[in-house]
Amino acid sequence: MGDDLTSLKLQKLTYYCQAWSLAWDGSPLFDEDFQAWSNGPVCVDLYKKHAKTFEIAKDFLSESEVDNFTDSQKETMNSVINYYGQKKAYELSSLTHNELPWIKARGDTPQGYPSNTIIEKEIMQEYYGGL
């Protein structure tokens, strides 16, 4: 998966898994929302699990958590990881900064300033579904 898995990269890969699941499968992988933080989309519930951790351990997720996904969902996640996984964390962050869902959620929030505005799943589905 390219470089080591950092917390920033985990957040962006998770965001893209959710986005492409909405676009390809018409449903979210999970119910939690992403917020438009200054470094890109962040799922706060996931963040709480890895807070204060820079590099994510390979066993971060248990097998039982992975088994909760359908084969179709796993296929979506594998496709996303195969495409985005070779990119560095800062590249993924930069990518999200140029895409409508994050831009729209940030609104007039100045660059670098905090925001907890939700990136709406409907906007993600529409945007990524149109690509």
Side-chain angles (χ1 to χ4, degrees):
M1 186 184 336
D3 56 348
D4 292 328
L5 183 60
T6 63
S7 56
L8 180 66
K9 188 169 183 173
L10 173 67
Q11 285 287 343
K12 302 318 165 251
L13 289 174
T14 304
Y15 170 78
Y16 281 119
C17 284
Q18 180 79 309
W20 287 109
S21 178
L22 289 163
W24 292 334
D25 305 327
S27 63
L29 289 171
F30 47 86
D31 293 331
E32 292 81 10
D33 290 311
F34 282 86
Q35 296 180 2
W37 287 19
S38 61
N39 285 330
V42 171
C43 176
V44 175
D45 290 340
L46 177 61
Y47 178 80
K48 289 175 184 175
K49 291 184 178 186
H50 67 70
K52 300 180 183 170
T53 303
F54 177 76
E55 191 172 318
I56 303 299
K58 292 187 187 315
D59 63 348
F60 178 69
L61 294 175
S62 70
E63 277 302 313
S64 63
E65 290 174 300
V66 174
D67 289 341
N68 289 334
F69 295 105
T70 67
D71 288 342
S72 177
Q73 290 172 321
K74 289 177 188 176
E75 184 178 329
T76 295
M77 291 185 281
N78 285 330
S79 294
V80 167
I81 291 167
N82 286 335
Y83 182 79
Y84 293 98
Q86 298 304 313
K87 298 182 185 315
K88 298 196 178 296
Y90 72 86
E91 292 174 295
L92 294 172
S93 181
S94 180
L95 207 59
T96 63
H97 282 64
N98 292 303
E99 296 173 339
L100 183 69
W102 184 84
I103 292 169
K104 189 165 185 164
R106 290 288 293 177
D108 294 332
T109 305
Q111 184 176 354
Y113 278 72
S115 170
N116 61 355
T117 304
I118 300 295
I119 300 173
E120 296 178 28
K121 288 181 181 80
E122 296 80 18
I123 294 171
M124 291 169 66
Q125 185 171 20
E126 183 178 309
Y127 176 78
Y128 293 99
L131 294 179

